[in-house]
């Protein structure tokens, strides 16, 4: 927020439109506020103000009439309004409007006195004096609103200094000298270019040595996010992960790696010449990747894995130095982090939680004990804990904004040494707007604001989940159908102890009780076996919609609807999903989701059902697909395409092949680093997947989604009829049969319908 913008005051008072002594007094105050250049917004009722709460962040001060509402409970109405505001903002000045004769101070409750900053007796003081008090409070609030770095950046941009340093566009001047450049300048606006500065501006500090306002912003972020130290990263969590590895791992070190890890972990292992020993996650009937089994974390299991690893046999030190865990998983499964740290800490001195999609967890009690930077978790005898978070993903920040949070343990991080790893993976010319967005994100999550910003998407996700479950109950019975939801069928009412249907559960129960989302042993809905109670919880904002067609044992039913067709339908209607499996689609309910967005999603799912039930022609539903592949799809209906694709996937047992492909680790033949050397030197060749028997892959093979390696660099592909190659061949043949629905597989190049993969030369 620009400090020089017009100050704004909101007045919530039913008397402002009345010709009464009180109404006239309030309007005189409003007139005097306008004389100070303040923009005043009036709300005449509690309902109007409550409906506008989401827009009140623009206000710098709020005035509320103690007599808001009508009847005997009017003071409760004012109290509700104050509580609603304080749930969102602990700092904004609140002025209580009253009349000395009607509302003496002794009538105010203790709760109200705690929350209100000042009391305005409109018939006692002059309008000019009261307007001055309100203006002063608004200015104090505005001046303290901006966090350390962003505040200094705003102040510097208003000095209008001439630029004799990089970047060469000099505040946008260079762009305006060319037609294309001027269009670029006009699109983004002058403020962006004037705030695009360099390390030469000493007033703003340095990201590389964490000095000045940048350093203060990182310290502030550490306080907000519960870390001993926080580092801002301007090239995404892919780089954050590399920074952590470079700071903790060297050549020949053994690292415990969640096989359900991001590709950047593979790159980190390659670059540090580390040796991975994998912890294997579970998988359910829908192909959804679950948590790592608790047994995988035990010292005995880890010791056996290291002893059996063909790559670890040459390591001088058989003790693993580091571990990386994905939390939450891509499908929203959150570990009991307290237990994981304690158990895994018996084997390693540092644990790295990749929380790229989970940076909000600290700010809502629903996730207590299920994230890295927990209050009271510091243990000088425990492992040092890292959390890498994509601030831009599910918080509010610009793309590539990321943070590394550190909580020191028995082997603490020495900043001066760790910073070498930071600088090795950072630019000397970072984009200052990304740094500022990290700073602002910290401010947004501080205090009551963080709770509110996380609670709203939780509640919106729950409303969507309940609506979908209610539609399923009402529509999806008998011969009719509807989409399912990957969530509990029933939850336990905490007051009565009785089981109730999910769609009948209250928002309060589902939004505040983690037990409703825990993968309890014996519950059939989640499909994971052998998990202890409270070990894993489903994050409600990561919503998986299930397509019809999967039996309880994981086999495909006689009738079903592949997700790929629904995804294409939604995409053509402007709804872009996060990821999908064969028969499931994941939607993320972030802070930016609105009721209009998820309401539209429901209507579009109904629209798909309508087109399917009516057998609409593909020329109408997918006109581009029909025109691009007229010989393949010409004359077909949506119903016919769905049936053909489902029947094909059922006959080829694609889901079973996927499960078998990930069931057992391929043979590890060479390290990532040694394999990469061959790739760089050209000692590799592209091999058709049909001829890859026993070949060693030079690059990882990552089917998307969710991007988990079916083959990692240096691993053997196995037999031609083995699980891995059988699965890849099945995907290849599917792509041939259904053009326009091809799979996205990193490490695979589709050349004339043949999957080609780089392998080391024999």
């Amino acid at each position: 927020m620009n400090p020089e913008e017009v100050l704004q005051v909101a007045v919530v008072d039913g008397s402002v439109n009345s010709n009464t002594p009180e109404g006239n007094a309030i309007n005189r105050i409003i007139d005097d506020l306008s004389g100070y250049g303040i923009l005043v917004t009036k709300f005449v009722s509690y309902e109007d103000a409550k409906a506008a709460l989401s827009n009140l962040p623009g206000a710098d001060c709020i005035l509320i009439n103690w007599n808001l509402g009508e009847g005997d409970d009017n003071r409760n109405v004012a109290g509700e309004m104050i509580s609603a505001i304080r749930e969102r903002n602990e700092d904004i000045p609140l002025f209580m409007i009253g009349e000395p004769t009607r509302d003496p101070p002794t009538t105010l409750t203790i709760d109200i006195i705690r929350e209100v900053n000042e009391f305005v007796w409109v018939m006692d003081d002059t309008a000019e004096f009261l307007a001055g008090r309100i203006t002063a409070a608004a200015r104090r609030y505005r001046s303290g609103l901006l966090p350390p770095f962003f505040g200094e950046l705003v102040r510097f941009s208003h000095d209008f200094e001439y630029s004799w340093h990089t970047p060469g566009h000099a505040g946008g001047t260079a762009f305006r000298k060319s037609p294309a450049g001027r269009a670029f300048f006009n699109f983004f606006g002058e403020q962006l270019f004037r705030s695009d500065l360099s390390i030469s501006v000493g007033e703003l500090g340095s990201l590389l040595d964490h000095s000045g306002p940048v350093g203060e912003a990182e310290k502030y972020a550490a306080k907000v996010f519960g870390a001993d130290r926080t580092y801002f990263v301007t090239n995404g969590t892919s780089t954050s992960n590399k920074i952590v590895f470079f700071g903790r791992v060297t050549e020949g070190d053994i690292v415990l790696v969640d096989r359900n890890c991001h590709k950047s972990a593979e790159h980190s292992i390659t670059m540090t010449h580390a040796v991975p020993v994998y912890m294997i996650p579970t998988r359910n009937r829908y192909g959804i990747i679950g948590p790592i089994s608790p047994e995988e974390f035990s010292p005995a299991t880890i010791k056996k894995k290291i002893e059996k690893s063909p790559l670890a046999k040459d390591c001088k030190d058989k003790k693993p130095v580091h571990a990386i865990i994905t939390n939450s998983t891509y499908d929203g499964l959150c570990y009991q982090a307290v237990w994981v740290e304690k158990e895994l800490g018996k084997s390693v001195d540092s644990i790295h939680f990749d929380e790229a999609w989970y940076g909000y967890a600290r700010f809502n009690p629903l996730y207590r004990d299920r994230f890295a930077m927990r209050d009271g978790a510091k243990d000088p005898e425990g492992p040092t804990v890292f959390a890498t978070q994509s601030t831009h993903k599910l918080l509010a920040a610009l793309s590539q904004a990321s943070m590394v949070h550190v909580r020191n343990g028995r082997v603490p991080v020495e900043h001066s040494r760790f910073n070498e790893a930071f600088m090795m993976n950072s630019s000397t010319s970072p984009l200052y707007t990304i740094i500022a967005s990290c700073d602002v994100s910290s401010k947004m999550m501080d205090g009551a604001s963080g709770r509110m910003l996380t609670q709203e998407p939780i509640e919106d996700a729950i409303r969507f989940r309940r609506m979908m479950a209610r539609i399923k109950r009402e529509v999806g019975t008998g011969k009719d159908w509807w989409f399912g939801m990957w969530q509990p069928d029933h939850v336990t009412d905490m007051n009565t102890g009785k089981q109730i249907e999910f769609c009948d559960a209250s928002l309060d129960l589902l939004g505040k009780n983690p037990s409703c989302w825990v993968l309890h042993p014996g519950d059939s809905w989640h499909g994971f076996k052998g998990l202890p109670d409270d070990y894993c919880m489903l994050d409600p904002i990561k919503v998986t919609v299930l397509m019809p067609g999967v039996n309880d044992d994981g086999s495909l039913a006689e009738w079903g609807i592949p997700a790929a067709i629904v995804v294409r339908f939604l995409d053509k209607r402007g709804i872009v999903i996060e990821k999908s499996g064969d028969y499931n689609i994941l939607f993320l309910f972030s802070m930016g989701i609105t009721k209009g967005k998820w309401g539209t999603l429901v209507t579009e799912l109904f629209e798909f059902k309508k087109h399917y039930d009516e057998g609409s022609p593909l020329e109408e539903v997918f006109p581009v697909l029909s025109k691009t592949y007229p010989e393949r799809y010409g004359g077909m209906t949506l119903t016919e395409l769905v049936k053909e694709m489902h029947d094909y996937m059922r006959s080829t047992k694609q889901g079973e092949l996927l499960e078998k492909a990930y069931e057992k680790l391929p043979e590890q033949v060479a390290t990532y680093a040694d394999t990469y050397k061959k790739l760089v030197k050209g000692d590799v060749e592209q091999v058709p997947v049909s001829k890859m028997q026993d070949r060693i892959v030079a690059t990882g093979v990552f089917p998307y989604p969710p991007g988990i390696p079916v083959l990692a660099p240096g691993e053997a592909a196995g037999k031609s009829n083995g699980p891995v190659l059988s699965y890849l061949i099945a995907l290849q043949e599917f792509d041939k049969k259904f053009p326009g629905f091809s799979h996205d597989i990193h490490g695979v190049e589709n050349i004339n319908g043949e999957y080609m993969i780089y392998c080391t030369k024999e």
Side-chain angles (χ1 to χ4, degrees), residues 337-350:
V338 178
W339 185 90
V340 171
E341 277 181 32
K342 183 178 179 180
E343 188 68 10
L344 200 51
K346 298 173 183 177
S347 300
V348 293
D349 291 328
S350 64

Side-chain angles (χ1 to χ4, degrees), residues 613-754:
D613 291 344
E614 295 178 355
S616 298
L618 286 185
E619 287 87 349
E620 176 185 339
V621 181
F622 299 138
V624 175
L625 182 73
S626 299
K627 290 179 181 179
T628 306
Y629 306 103
E631 295 182 0
R632 176 65 181 86
Y633 299 117
M636 288 188 72
T637 66
L638 178 63
T639 312
E640 291 168 343
L641 175 60
V642 167
K643 183 180 188 308
E644 183 178 343
M645 187 178 291
H646 176 74
D647 289 347
Y648 180 82
M649 294 173 71
R650 185 168 182 250
S651 65
T652 57
K653 302 183 184 300
Q654 194 166 298
E656 295 176 33
L657 290 174
L658 177 148
E659 184 176 353
K660 290 178 180 178
Y662 285 98
E663 198 170 55
K664 187 178 179 182
L665 278 179
E667 179 189 0
Q668 293 175 291
V669 179
T671 65
Y672 287 12
D674 288 342
T675 306
Y676 185 71
K677 288 178 186 177
K678 293 187 177 184
L679 183 72
V680 173
K681 292 179 178 296
D683 194 15
V684 296
E685 59 187 351
Q686 280 192 320
V687 180
V689 69
S690 58
K691 298 179 180 179
M692 273 183 56
Q693 176 166 299
D694 295 328
R695 295 297 297 268
I696 312 303
V697 294
T699 59
V701 178
F702 295 76
Y704 275 76
I708 308 307
V710 68
L711 286 169
E715 292 181 345
K719 302 301 179 185
S720 58
N721 60 350
V724 173
L725 292 182
S726 294
Y727 175 57
L728 291 174
I729 289 171
L731 298 185
Q732 173 185 272
E733 296 309 306
F734 177 95
D735 291 355
K736 291 178 182 178
K737 188 169 182 64
F738 297 99
F741 294 92
S742 298
H743 292 85
D744 179 15
I745 308 176
H746 290 198
V748 169
E749 187 176 359
N750 193 327
I751 301 177
N752 298 323
E754 294 290 326

